[in-house]
Each structure stands twice: as C-alpha cells, then as structure tokens.
C-alpha cells in the first residue's frame, strides 16, 4: 500500500531551480519520497500536515560534526586549538568506552534533528576498538537521523586492526547504499597523521568506494601543504572532502575545484580556535562552493542556523575591514543569505555525494523536509525568506521529516524518551570527568 503525506499550504523554499519559491504550495510525499510539488495538490487519501505559516524547506545538512563529544558540550567553549588537541583529543578521547560513544552519538544526533539537521556527516575519530565503531553506528541508527558515518582512527599510528575493521564495518552495517546510513572515511590526512597512513587511507576508501574527509589548512599544521602533496601524487579527486582549508593557498583551493573535490567549512570554530581566517570567499573565488559544518559540538552549539549567520558575519566583516583599511567602502555585499542557505542544504548534499537523493525539495528525492514556524516573535512579520531562514533558531523548527517519517512535530521530538537519553549522557559525562580527575590526581 502506498503511504501518502500531504504537506499543505506552506511557503515553499525548494532549492530546486525548476520549482523555486512558492508563496503558498503543497508537497506530496509517497513512500518516503517527494512525489509532487505544486501550488495545490489533491490527495484525499493522504495524511495532511498543515503547513500554514510555515516555511517548507529541505532539511539542513552538516558535512562535518564530531558527535562523540556531545556529552561534553560547552567544555571546549573557551579553548584554542592547542587546548582542544591536548584536552579533548589526547585527554578525554582515550577514556571513551564504547558505551560513552553510544550515549554521545544518540544525544548528538537527536540534538541535530531537533535543530532541523536531517543529515549529518559524523566525523567519528574515536574508534579505540571495533566495539566503539559498532556502538557509534547503533547510536546513529537508534536516533533515526540520516548520517554519513565517518569511520576515524583517533590519531597517532593506526591500530593494527584498524583497516580490517573499516572493511568489516562496511560489510556489516553498510552493505546496502540506500538506507539512512552511509559510510565514509574520516582520515587524519597528511596534517594530523603520517603521510604514508594518509595514503593508505585513501587507497582503503577507494577500494571500498566511499568518500574520504580530511582536515586541511588548520593553523600552523596547515603549512604542510597537504593538497599540494596529494596533487603531486595524482591523488586528488571528486571523492575527497577537505575540511576547513583556512591556511591552504589559493592555488591549492583551485586544485580542489579542478579535480571536482569538496570543502566543508566551520567558520565559528575556526575563528574561536585559531584555524586561520575562514576560507569562504577564497573558496568561492577558486570555484569551490563550500558546505557548512558545526565541527566541535563541545565548543559551539549544534545550530546550523547559527553557522549560517557566523559564515555571513565572518565573510562580510573581512570584506569591510579590507576595504576600509584601503580608504574604500564595500558597495554591495559579496555573500548573501541565499548563498548560505544553499551551503547548508544542496551544497551539503553535493559534498556528501547525496545530491541525487537529498538537498532540495525535488520530486524523486527523499522527503527530508523541515517546517519552520515563522509566526513567532523572532521572525514575524515575514519579509524575506532566505533571511528568515538564516535568522531562525531551534524554537522555529516546528516539524522535521526524514525519508517521509515525522521525527519532530509541533516543536516536540518524537520517537525518543529524551529523559532517558539525557540520563545516559549524564552518566557518561560523569564517568569521563571522574576518570580525567583521577588521572589528574595520579600525575
Ligand atoms: Zn573537525
């Protein structure tokens, strides 16, 4: 039996060039996919979702987020990159049990859904054992989010079981490519690891047919010229996602464009921690349309709305500063609210290689759709759709559908006992902090 849902009477912001924006329109969903979008659709047998006073847009997409840090939220809010590496990656990281990873993945993925993020690339460089990987995947699956699970070694020389385990996880959890969860490799790359390990990672990912995500151009490590190194070996390609890119040269950014590669930027974390100035404008000038990412959920919150605003502010701020320092003024802003909404949706889908199934409200794509309540004090009266989307917050995320399944409605998360999820995260947090305190006393 065909299962139909009709999203009725909303303000459609489709991100599909043929559909555009509809001041009032309907979206018909059949068996989890978008079947039709029009001003008015008759579907008497469909369940109706009233979208009056709601902006209807594709679910937001985050292309790099370390979900495993969700139970340690706020801890890194005043840290530099050096403090983050010392305390989070080298301090707390090794104390994570598989149980801690599960608790954080579940909480972090629900946080994403609550904030209108229907797809997240989970950059999971916390794989201290095969059990850690299984529990991370279980957390994502239980949360019900669409996710790209980025299998990652925690840094240092990879464990001897690591490559075999990536292959095991690919076969065990990702044998079909059409589910909510897909696989990628979260590689330390040539900046955070040894070059030979980075090359082995690329070979492994290409053998498995999955994308590889690498942090590049990060602070002083960014002077290692990872992209140039990979280019010299003929290894760049459309299956690579370059995270941050702050200290990459313009020539390196052009190499990403020429080889069909992708970029994921996290301007708020980059400005806080000292990765270098956000590369947003330089990437766009080089021909790379970046996607957005939250990165360190233990430092900044999980709101992609906030990331859109941070991206705009950083890029506009530097343009004004550069002009004023020359005694000139900017006549027209080079980056708009429309641009960042694209980065948070369709460009995210392209980065992850999922643009055939998500990223816009297009017939045939998965029904990953969110309804923003704009009839609230922070957004009413509505005068500009893309501006309202960037100025929204979680309070405006009224309804979230993933593959046509309603996972948030009327501002409330469905399918989960939030109290139990939070208790699990608190217990994990307490274990991690007391283990850290004990280590402190012992040293
Ligand atoms: Zn990161």
């Amino acid at each position: 039996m065909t299962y139909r849902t009709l999203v009725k009477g909303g303000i459609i912001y489709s991100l599909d060039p043929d559909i555009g924006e509809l001041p009032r329109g309907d979206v018909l969903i059949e068996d989890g996919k978008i079947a039709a979008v029009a001003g008015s659709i008759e579907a008497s047998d469909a369940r109706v979702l009233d979208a009056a006073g709601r902006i209807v847009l594709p679910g937001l997409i985050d292309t790099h987020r370390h979900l495993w840090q969700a139970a340690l939220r706020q801890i890194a809010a005043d840290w530099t990159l050096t403090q983050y590496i010392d305390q989070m990656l080298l301090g707390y990281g090794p104390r994570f049990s598989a149980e801690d990873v599960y608790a954080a993945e579940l909480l972090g993925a629900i946080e994403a859904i609550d904030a209108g993020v229907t797809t997240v690339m989970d950059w999971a460089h916390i794989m201290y054992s095969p059990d850690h990987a299984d529990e991370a995947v279980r957390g994502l699956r239980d949360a019900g989010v669409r996710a790209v699970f980025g299998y990652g070694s925690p840094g240092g020389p990879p464990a001897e079981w690591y490559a075999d385990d990536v292959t095991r996880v690919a076969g065990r959890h990702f044998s079909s490519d059409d589910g909510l969860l897909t696989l990628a490799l979260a590689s330390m790359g040539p900046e955070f690891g040894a070059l030979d390990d980075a090359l082995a990672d690329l070979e492994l990912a290409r053998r498995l047919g999955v994308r590889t995500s690498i942090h590049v151009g990060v602070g002083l490590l960014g002077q290692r010229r990872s992209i140039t190194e990979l280019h010299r070996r003929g290894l760049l390609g459309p299956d690579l996602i370059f995270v941050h890119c702050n200290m990459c040269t313009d020539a390196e950014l052009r190499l990403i464009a020429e080889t069909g590669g992708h970029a994921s930027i996290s301007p708020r974390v980059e400005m806080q921690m000292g990765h270098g100035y956000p590369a947003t404008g330089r990437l766009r000038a080089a021909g790379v349309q970046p996607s957005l990412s939250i990165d360190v959920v233990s430092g900044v919150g999980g709101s992609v709305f906030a990331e859109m605003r941070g991206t705009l502010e950083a890029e506009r701020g530097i343009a004004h500063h550069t002009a004023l320092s020359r005694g000139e003024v900017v006549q027209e802003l080079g980056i708009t609210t429309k641009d960042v909404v694209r980065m948070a949706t369709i460009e995210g889908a392209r980065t992850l290689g999922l643009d055939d199934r998500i990223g816009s409200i297009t017939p045939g794509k998965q029904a990953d759709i969110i309804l923003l309540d704009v009839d609230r004090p922070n957004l009413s009266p509505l005068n500009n759709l893309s501006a309202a989307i960037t100025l929204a917050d979680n309070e405006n995320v009224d309804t979230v559908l993933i593959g046509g399944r309603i996972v948030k409605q009327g501002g409330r998360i469905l399918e989960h006992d939030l109290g139990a999820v939070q208790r699990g995260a608190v217990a994990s947090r307490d274990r991690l902090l007391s283990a850290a305190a004990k280590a402190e006393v012992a040293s």
Side-chain angles (χ1 to χ4, degrees):
M1 194 185 104
T2 308
Y3 195 67
R4 308 208 312 167
T5 302
L6 185 64
V7 179
K8 186 129 198 82
I11 306 151
I12 312 281
Y13 193 89
S14 73
L15 275 299
D16 179 308
D18 295 331
I19 296 169
E21 301 168 18
L22 302 176
R24 189 182 159 82
D26 301 346
V27 180
L28 181 64
I29 298 164
E30 282 183 2
D31 291 334
K33 287 186 176 173
I34 297 161
V37 186
S40 180
I41 297 172
E42 282 308 314
S44 54
D45 58 336
R47 167 180 55 173
V48 173
L49 274 182
D50 180 10
R54 310 280 189 267
I55 301 178
V56 179
L57 74 155
L60 305 177
I61 298 173
D62 179 342
T63 54
H64 144 245
R65 181 183 298 214
H66 306 290
L67 288 174
W68 61 270
Q69 295 169 17
L72 296 178
R73 55 171 97 258
Q74 299 129 26
I75 282 185
D78 294 315
W79 285 354
T80 64
L81 185 61
T82 309
Q83 290 170 309
Y84 170 75
I85 290 172
D86 284 350
Q87 298 182 53
M88 184 61 70
L89 302 188
L90 303 176
Y92 291 115
R95 302 183 211 292
F96 270 71
S97 65
E99 196 182 356
D100 293 319
V101 171
Y102 175 79
E105 297 274 340
L106 180 61
L107 175 69
I110 292 172
E111 173 192 18
I113 292 170
D114 191 41
V117 176
T118 51
T119 299
V120 60
M121 195 282 185
D122 175 29
W123 222 97
H125 55 327
I126 191 66
M127 298 305 130
Y128 280 96
S129 77
D131 285 348
H132 285 63
D134 290 331
E135 287 300 278
V137 173
R138 189 167 71 89
L140 293 172
R141 184 166 290 136
D142 285 357
V145 73
R146 190 182 302 279
V148 178
F149 172 63
Y151 193 119
S153 165
E160 94 287 348
W161 47 263
Y162 159 74
D164 286 346
D165 199 54
V166 177
T167 308
R168 175 192 70 85
V169 164
R172 175 166 179 190
H173 299 294
F174 300 95
S175 52
S176 93
D177 181 48
D178 55 3
L180 283 181
L181 302 187
T182 49
L183 180 66
L185 204 61
S187 170
M188 281 292 136
E191 278 182 32
F192 287 84
L195 180 62
D196 283 350
D197 294 334
L199 300 180
D201 270 353
L202 274 182
E203 205 180 302
L204 172 64
R206 284 174 173 160
R207 182 157 49 78
L208 294 172
V210 301
R211 292 198 169 199
T212 301
S213 174
I214 305 173
H215 289 54
V216 295
V218 176
L220 295 180
L221 291 170
Q223 296 169 339
R224 291 192 188 170
R225 300 280 161 265
S226 316
I227 293 174
T228 306
E229 284 295 328
L230 295 178
H231 175 61
R232 256 189 223 132
R233 290 168 173 76
L235 292 173
L236 295 178
D239 57 341
L240 300 188
I241 304 168
F242 295 102
V243 175
H244 299 310
C245 304
N246 308 68
M247 302 294 280
C248 296
T249 63
D250 288 345
E252 288 185 306
L253 303 185
R254 284 194 296 274
L255 285 174
I256 300 177
E258 285 162 16
T259 54
H262 305 275
S264 170
I265 55 170
S266 328
R268 292 183 305 154
V269 162
E270 293 161 7
M271 290 192 290
Q272 175 196 321
M273 290 192 171
H275 294 50
Y277 208 82
T280 322
R282 293 197 302 121
L283 281 162
R284 281 155 52 89
V288 181
Q289 291 304 324
S291 56
L292 298 185
S293 55
I294 294 297
D295 192 359
V296 179
V297 285
S298 54
V300 297
S303 166
V304 170
F305 302 112
E307 202 63 46
M308 287 191 251
R309 295 195 287 271
T311 302
L312 284 176
E313 288 154 9
E315 199 50 32
R316 291 167 171 182
I318 193 76
H320 289 303
H321 176 77
T322 306
L324 288 168
S325 61
R326 289 188 195 129
E328 298 166 3
V329 291
V330 172
Q331 299 294 341
E332 199 171 315
L333 295 172
I335 185 166
T336 65
T337 53
K338 274 196 166 133
D339 294 328
V340 288
V341 175
R342 287 185 62 81
M343 290 179 196
T345 53
I346 187 66
E347 298 303 342
R350 289 206 178 103
T351 296
L352 299 176
L354 297 174
D355 49 309
D356 60 338
R357 63 183 90 163
I358 55 170
S360 63
I361 300 186
T362 298
K365 285 195 182 182
Q366 293 287 317
D368 287 12
I369 292 173
I370 62 175
L371 273 57
L372 296 184
D373 181 358
V374 287
D375 194 17
R376 294 181 68 93
N378 67 329
L379 295 179
S380 172
L382 181 65
N383 293 307
N384 178 319
L385 283 185
S386 57
I389 293 166
T390 62
L391 293 168
D393 273 307
N394 284 15
E395 67 181 284
N396 304 103
V397 180
D398 179 79
T399 301
V400 178
L401 296 97
I402 299 178
R405 215 177 70 254
I406 303 173
V407 291
K408 182 178 183 184
Q409 189 171 26
R412 289 166 52 89
I413 287 282
L414 310 179
E415 301 181 344
H416 292 288
D417 176 350
L418 288 183
V421 172
Q422 283 170 277
R423 282 191 297 279
V426 167
S428 166
R429 187 272 318 268
D430 290 349
R431 277 196 301 274
L432 289 163
L433 293 190
S434 75
K438 279 180 201 148
E440 189 78 9
V441 171
S443 63

